[in-house]
Amino acid sequence: MSYELTIEPLGQTIPIEEGQTILDAALRAGVYLPHACCHGLCATCKVQVVDGEVDHGEASSFALMDFERDEQKTLACCATAQGDIVIEAEIEEDPDAENLPVRDFAGTVSRIETLTPTIKGIWIKLDDAEGMRFQAGQYINLELPDGIGTRAFSVASAPSESGEIELNIRIVPGGQGTRYVHETMRVGERTKISGPYGRFFVKKSADVPVIFMAGGSGLSSPRSMILDLLAEGFERPITLVYGQRTREELYYHDEFLALAERHKNFRYVPALSHEPEGSDWQGFRGFVHDAAKNHFDNDFRAHKAYLCGPPLMIEACIGTLMRGRLFERDIYTEKFISAADAQQVRSPLFKAI
């Protein structure tokens, strides 16, 4: 059964199926609603129901309190329509957003590479000849078998390679999904993805120098963004500060060195925090935020910064950037998070939502 969902202040009416969440219906129609955890825990996707009835689903009583339910508020990531409904949402206008509709894709695992002792590179060749259109920095949901469900992973390849999607997946201790990818997934395996998701992309219209700060498999989005910027002929300075613990964990190192040789406006600053003393490593020793502070002499003014990595790294980088006179309006972080990380959607250094 299909109903009608009207989204204000756009005045746009789209179909919503019985059992489909408000968020999923909107994204598949190319309408972006702010969201983060997608587990009913963070309240980022809270909307006002103006007319009609909804089932609140598994919304947390902390993210959606009883008095808010009485006021006809709901969480778009959990709520399903009980008939035709009208909602009012904070629609973010962004001149750099392409607002691409979410679609489902089938494909085949075409390649698997061990990038580091803990990170696998997975390539998925899509059946659709046109591939998946996405903006560099966005992510997909990967469907895994045996009742595991879906998991979100950033796209590491450039948008120009839309027919074959690359994912860089770090194994998470105790993580059923990443364990399957690392131990069971094989080349030739059929799989499904949906996407693109996310509002993490370069603000190209700002036309200012950009800084990427990444750690671990958080390199995925910055790699896609950098490849895209360089292919388009972006002329402003681009700096990647990338951190790992040891040299064997530093993947795509040679690729970024080669890009820095070919493009005068691209600078690559690798940093190792736990490289053994006495090794032949000649680069920076320490954490990402320290490497950035050293490289920019603690002055980040007139830049935009894009941060991807573990929560503690993100916090340290935000603090360093703000002390170096770069503030909230120019600092961007990835917004998709796991249920376990749902309480860390937004840095406490930023003003409250």
Side-chain angles (χ1 to χ4, degrees):
M1 184 177 294
S2 179
Y3 306 120
E4 289 189 340
L5 165 62
T6 301
I7 304 172
E8 299 292 356
L10 296 178
Q12 184 172 345
T13 298
I14 62 175
I16 181 170
E17 301 297 323
E18 184 176 13
Q20 183 181 26
T21 66
I22 291 173
L23 179 62
D24 186 65
L27 294 178
R28 288 179 182 275
V31 178
Y32 179 81
L33 298 181
H35 61 282
C37 77
C38 295
H39 300 288
L41 299 174
C42 73
T44 303
C45 65
K46 192 175 295 179
V47 297
Q48 178 72 50
V49 180
V50 177
D51 187 41
E53 298 294 328
V54 300
D55 182 331
H56 297 295
E58 299 181 357
S60 161
S61 58
F62 294 100
L64 186 68
M65 297 184 180
D66 289 341
F67 78 88
E68 293 178 306
R69 297 170 194 243
D70 293 339
E71 294 174 350
Q72 298 301 302
K73 291 182 172 64
T74 195
L75 302 185
C77 73
C78 294
T80 55
Q82 302 300 289
D84 294 345
I85 59 172
V86 180
I87 66 166
E88 188 172 67
E90 293 185 10
I91 304 296
E92 298 180 352
E93 296 291 338
D94 190 320
D96 294 295
E98 294 183 18
N99 295 320
L100 301 169
V102 169
R103 296 174 54 202
D104 297 317
F105 298 87
T108 303
V109 177
S110 55
R111 183 158 48 120
I112 299 176
E113 288 188 12
T114 298
L115 300 177
T116 80
T118 61
I119 299 173
K120 292 279 190 183
I122 307 294
W123 282 259
I124 300 172
K125 182 71 173 178
L126 302 181
D127 294 349
D128 191 321
E130 296 182 359
M132 181 184 75
R133 285 189 59 202
F134 66 95
Q135 285 188 264
Q138 291 190 295
Y139 68 95
I140 57 93
N141 279 334
L142 172 66
E143 185 177 305
L144 297 172
D146 304 329
I148 296 174
T150 61
R151 297 292 187 272
F153 299 108
S154 297
V155 180
S157 45
S160 59
E161 302 170 10
S162 59
E164 188 175 44
I165 302 298
E166 178 186 350
L167 309 174
N168 299 160
I169 300 176
R170 179 180 66 88
I171 190 165
V172 177
Q176 187 180 17
T178 60
R179 184 173 70 248
Y180 176 85
V181 170
H182 276 250
E183 299 178 3
T184 307
M185 182 174 278
R186 296 290 183 267
V187 170
E189 181 175 324
R190 295 289 293 170
T191 190
K192 295 179 181 178
I193 68 170
S194 63
Y197 295 97
R199 206 73 164 177
F200 188 62
F201 43 77
V202 176
K203 310 297 181 180
K204 297 177 183 177
S205 63
D207 195 29
V208 297
V210 295
I211 306 169
F212 296 99
M213 302 170 75
S217 59
L219 181 64
S220 298
S221 288
R223 178 175 182 262
S224 179
M225 295 158 122
I226 290 166
L227 292 175
D228 185 50
L229 288 173
L230 295 177
E232 287 191 353
F234 187 79
E235 295 181 351
R236 295 288 187 174
I238 303 168
T239 304
L240 169 64
V241 186
Y242 176 52
Q244 279 280 24
R245 291 173 54 85
T246 63
R247 177 65 186 86
E248 67 174 349
E249 297 172 319
L250 194 66
Y251 73 106
Y252 283 132
H253 178 65
D254 291 339
E255 175 184 80
F256 288 120
L257 289 175
L259 287 173
E261 283 288 327
R262 293 202 304 270
H263 300 274
K264 293 182 179 180
N265 63 323
F266 175 61
R267 292 172 290 180
Y268 170 49
V269 184
L272 300 180
S273 61
H274 292 76
E275 178 69 3
E277 293 295 332
S279 75
D280 61 357
W281 176 249
Q282 299 297 313
F284 188 88
R285 290 177 181 264
F287 295 102
V288 171
H289 63 284
D290 292 324
K293 180 180 178 179
N294 177 73
H295 183 79
F296 286 94
D297 196 23
N298 200 33
D299 186 351
F300 301 100
R301 287 175 293 179
H303 286 77
K304 284 193 178 293
Y306 302 87
L307 282 51
C308 308
L312 289 177
M313 187 217 86
I314 297 294
E315 291 303 311
C317 288
I318 290 173
T320 296
L321 290 168
M322 295 182 79
R323 285 190 292 272
R325 302 180 71 179
L326 193 70
F327 301 105
E328 178 179 356
R329 66 180 180 275
D330 295 315
I331 301 173
Y332 305 90
T333 63
E334 284 186 306
K335 296 298 184 191
F336 82 82
I337 54 177
S338 69
D341 290 334
Q343 302 307 315
Q344 302 186 50
V345 174
R346 192 173 173 89
S347 168
L349 296 175
F350 284 2
K351 64 186 180 183
I353 295 174

